[in-house]
């Protein structure tokens, strides 16, 4: 049943044109505008060029948008009666969570591959190992934001939850050094934001931790950021789920 539901839900999600545009189309357009179309694309980095760095960041943005939207949608389904429908079947709650997570990670892989392919044909340069490690880290790291989407869905309990969560990702992207290179105090603040760690970790195979103006991060910093935010978002989602169950 898990595989059947995964296939059905995956097909349903892919048919949602608006959702797919923000998950796949928007990161692709942003890469083409801010990456391949700019003169600084060919500037060298430690193991590639700037175009590859922009590509990785846009892949991160698309992947976290996917996991946030799908996990938030899963929370809303529980409020809209779908959870009760599933309760009439032999399917367990754990099976629902696992399958929804599988759908989210499958969809998150799409923008990573699409943006990566666009980078390959528009001048993004890096070694094969860097391509695999950076894009792989962008995909795996996006799982952290499942907790973010679930928390938003549980907190707002309406369709506006997905809009709030998606819109806030744009702000988090700017605050997390995803779209524009930050420096000074703004960079110091960015290191504490949730998107900074995933983005920095995905870029690390390409840049070796170098950011701008000679500033660099040790590997443990983005790893610590990702682990910390995974715990924060996971615990928040768990508390909201428990509070919701306590009201039923």
């Amino acid at each position: 049943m898990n595989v059947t539901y995964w296939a059905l839900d995956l097909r349903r999600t892919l048919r949602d044109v608006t959702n797919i545009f923000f998950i796949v189309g928007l990161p692709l357009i942003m890469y083409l505008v801010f990456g391949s179309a700019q003169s600084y694309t060919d500037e060298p980095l430690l193991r590639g060029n700037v175009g590859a760095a922009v590509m990785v960041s846009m892949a991160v943005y698309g992947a976290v948008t996917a996991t946030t939207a799908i996990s938030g949608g899963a929370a809303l389904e529980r409020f809209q009666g779908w959870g009760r429908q599933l309760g009439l079947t032999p399917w367990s709650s754990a099976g629902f969570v696992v399958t929804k997570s599988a759908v989210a990670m499958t969809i998150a892989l799409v923008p990573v591959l699409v943006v990566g392919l666009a980078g390959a044909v528009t001048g993004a340069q890096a070694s094969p190992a860097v391509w695999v490690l950076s894009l792989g880290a962008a995909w795996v790291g996006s799982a952290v934001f499942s907790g973010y989407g679930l928390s938003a869905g549980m907190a707002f309990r309406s369709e506006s939850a997905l809009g709030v969560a998606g819109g806030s990702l744009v702000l988090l992207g700017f605050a997390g050094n995803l779209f524009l290179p930050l420096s000074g105090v703004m960079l110091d603040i960015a290191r504490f934001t949730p998107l900074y760690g995933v983005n920095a970790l995905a870029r690390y195979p390409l840049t070796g931790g170098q950011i701008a103006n000679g500033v660099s991060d040790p590997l443990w910093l983005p790893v610590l950021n990702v682990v910390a935010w995974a715990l924060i978002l996971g615990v928040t989602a768990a508390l909201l789920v428990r509070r919701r169950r306590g009201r039923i």
Side-chain angles (χ1 to χ4, degrees), residues 45-47 200 203-211 215-219:
L45 294 175
L46 182 64
R47 302 184 185 96
R203 282 186 172 189
Y204 196 89
L206 176 67
T207 65
Q210 295 177 7
I211 302 173
V215 179
S216 62
D217 285 336
L219 180 58

Side-chain angles (χ1 to χ4, degrees), residues 26-37 41 51-52 54-56 58 115 118-120 122-124:
L26 186 57
L28 176 60
I29 292 171
M30 293 176 73
Y31 164 70
L32 294 176
V33 172
F34 298 111
S36 63
T41 301
V54 177
M55 174 197 71
V56 171
M58 294 306 102
V115 174
T122 56

Side-chain angles (χ1 to χ4, degrees), residues 17 20 29 61 88 104-105 128-129 151 168-169 191 235 238 247-248:
V17 177
I20 292 300
I29 292 171
Y61 177 70
L88 299 175
M105 294 308 294
S151 297
S168 61
L169 281 179
R191 290 188 172 101
V235 169
R247 292 179 176 177
I248 295 177

Side-chain angles (χ1 to χ4, degrees), residues 57-85:
S57 292
M58 294 306 102
V60 168
Y61 177 70
V64 300
T65 300
T67 53
T68 298
I70 294 172
S71 58
L76 294 181
E77 288 178 7
R78 308 294 285 188
F79 296 127
Q80 295 170 349
W82 184 233
R84 294 181 180 179
Q85 293 290 332

Side-chain angles (χ1 to χ4, degrees), residues 93-174:
S93 296
F96 176 79
V97 172
V98 169
T99 305
K100 276 292 186 179
S101 299
V103 172
M105 294 308 294
T106 303
I107 296 297
L109 187 60
V110 177
V112 172
L113 294 178
V114 169
V115 174
L117 179 61
V121 299
T122 56
Q125 296 178 0
S127 67
V130 168
W131 279 79
V132 173
L133 291 173
S134 289
L135 294 180
W139 177 59
V140 174
S142 67
V144 173
F145 282 78
S146 295
Y148 184 67
L150 184 59
S151 297
M154 288 292 176
F156 291 94
R157 290 177 287 177
S158 68
E159 294 294 337
S160 63
L162 300 183
V164 171
S168 61
L169 281 179
V170 177
L171 299 178
L172 289 174
F174 281 105

